Amino acid sequence: MKNFKKLLTTFLALALVLTVMDVTSIVSSAKTSTSWNSNDSSFKNLEIMSSSSENLSSVGASYSGMSNYGKSETITSTIVVDSGKTYDGKGITIIASGMGDGSQAENQEPIFKLKEGATLKNVIIASPGCDGVHVYGNNTVDNVTWEDVGEDALTVKGSSSADAGTINISNCTASAATDKLFQCNAPCKVYFSNIKANDIGKFVRQNGGTSYKCEWYINNCTIDKVKDSIARTDSKSTKCYYKNLTVTNCTTWWKFPSSSQVSTY
């Protein structure tokens, strides 16, 4: 009888260990696994993200102490930033008048046009957002807020045969995008860093039906309330890399022809 009790105790202990191992394996798998749905050509990343409130509060734009913060300027035509030049708003709020209503209607005017190598920083774009910011190659956009995104927040311009080079977008905040925040209409490499986005259709989208190559690097971004996806493309050559990404209220993260086009880095 003593031997039977000893054997039973050993068996129960072993079963408990195996159960714990199975649970650990499931949790570990859930942190890194990706589910792929071939029927709708989309897949949902199931990575479990954790972030402190301190980390969340540090993401996005900040204008504390800037000389133009709290001031506003009304414009009636696009602000053009010439090649190699920098527009530093020092916290200014830009309000567009007669340039578009900020809806999804085509042919609205952009608030800013950045020529090759131009930089935009420290600006708040108020409603209506019109067609946001147009960039034409090797540009930097830093510490910009789109309070109410219009047609798009930012568009990489150019034809499908004209490479737009490298675009750096960092320390930005954007809200209320009916469709997409960032649109890529030309081959490009875009680095998204420290961006806070809320209530959007898509975070980044390549022009539909195109096959040119884009590379997207998404780092330290927090995104909430996404209607469609984080990133979307029809191109089989476009790649998306991400790390330190916190996403909430989003059913489908990625819409790509193949799951192999998206990875951490």
Side-chain angles (χ1 to χ4, degrees):
M1 188 66 177
K2 289 183 179 181
N3 289 338
F4 175 75
K5 289 183 178 179
K6 184 177 181 180
L7 181 61
L8 180 59
T9 300
T10 302
F11 175 78
L12 291 174
L14 179 60
L16 179 60
V17 170
L18 290 174
T19 300
V20 171
M21 290 177 64
D22 285 344
V23 170
T24 302
S25 175
I26 290 170
V27 172
S28 176
S29 175
K31 288 184 177 181
T32 58
S33 66
T34 298
S35 63
W36 172 253
N37 186 339
S38 60
N39 293 327
D40 63 1
S41 297
S42 64
F43 60 100
K44 179 175 62 177
N45 184 285
L46 301 177
E47 185 169 1
I48 296 175
M49 298 294 173
S50 61
S51 57
S52 65
S53 58
E54 179 181 359
N55 178 59
L56 288 173
S57 64
S58 67
V59 174
S62 176
Y63 307 96
S64 178
M66 293 188 182
S67 59
N68 287 334
Y69 185 52
K71 300 177 182 179
S72 65
E73 177 185 350
T74 298
I75 62 171
T76 56
S77 61
T78 300
I79 299 172
V80 178
V81 186
D82 287 330
S83 297
K85 301 296 184 180
T86 296
Y87 181 101
D88 183 354
K90 296 180 170 54
I92 192 79
T93 295
I94 300 295
I95 304 170
S97 176
M99 298 168 62
D101 60 5
S103 67
Q104 286 301 295
E106 298 289 340
N107 302 317
Q108 298 184 71
E109 295 180 53
I111 307 295
F112 287 93
K113 175 181 178 180
L114 307 188
K115 293 185 177 181
E116 175 83 19
T119 295
L120 172 67
K121 65 180 184 179
N122 303 325
V123 169
I124 300 168
I125 298 176
S127 177
C130 302
D131 201 22
V133 178
H134 288 183
V135 299
Y136 284 81
N138 299 305
N139 302 105
T140 296
V141 175
D142 180 54
N143 205 43
V144 172
T145 294
W146 291 266
E147 291 186 334
D148 187 349
V149 174
E151 186 177 356
D152 298 316
L154 181 147
T155 304
V156 179
K157 300 293 286 185
S159 67
S160 59
S161 60
D163 195 314
T166 299
I167 312 296
N168 289 288
I169 306 171
S170 59
N171 307 310
C172 293
T173 299
S175 302
T178 301
D179 191 6
K180 53 208 173 296
L181 284 186
F182 305 111
Q183 168 85 7
C184 295
N185 288 349
C188 57
K189 183 181 292 185
V190 186
Y191 290 88
F192 304 98
S193 177
N194 200 42
I195 295 174
K196 186 174 184 178
N198 176 63
D199 190 18
I200 63 174
K202 310 170 191 70
F203 183 78
V204 59
R205 169 71 157 125
Q206 181 171 333
N207 195 20
T210 57
S211 59
Y212 51 80
K213 182 179 180 179
C214 294
E215 289 184 24
W216 300 324
Y217 295 83
I218 305 174
N219 176 35
N220 195 40
C221 295
T222 64
I223 307 171
D224 183 34
K225 296 181 183 177
V226 182
K227 292 183 283 289
D228 185 87
S229 57
I230 303 301
R232 183 171 183 171
T233 182
D234 300 322
S235 173
K236 295 182 179 179
S237 58
T238 288
K239 303 286 187 181
C240 181
Y241 307 93
Y242 69 99
K243 62 182 177 180
N244 304 322
L245 176 60
T246 302
V247 178
T248 51
N249 299 306
C250 176
T251 301
T252 302
W253 284 31
W254 320 110
K255 288 188 176 180
F256 284 66
S258 170
S259 60
S260 64
Q261 293 173 244
V262 179
S263 63
T264 56
Y265 75 108

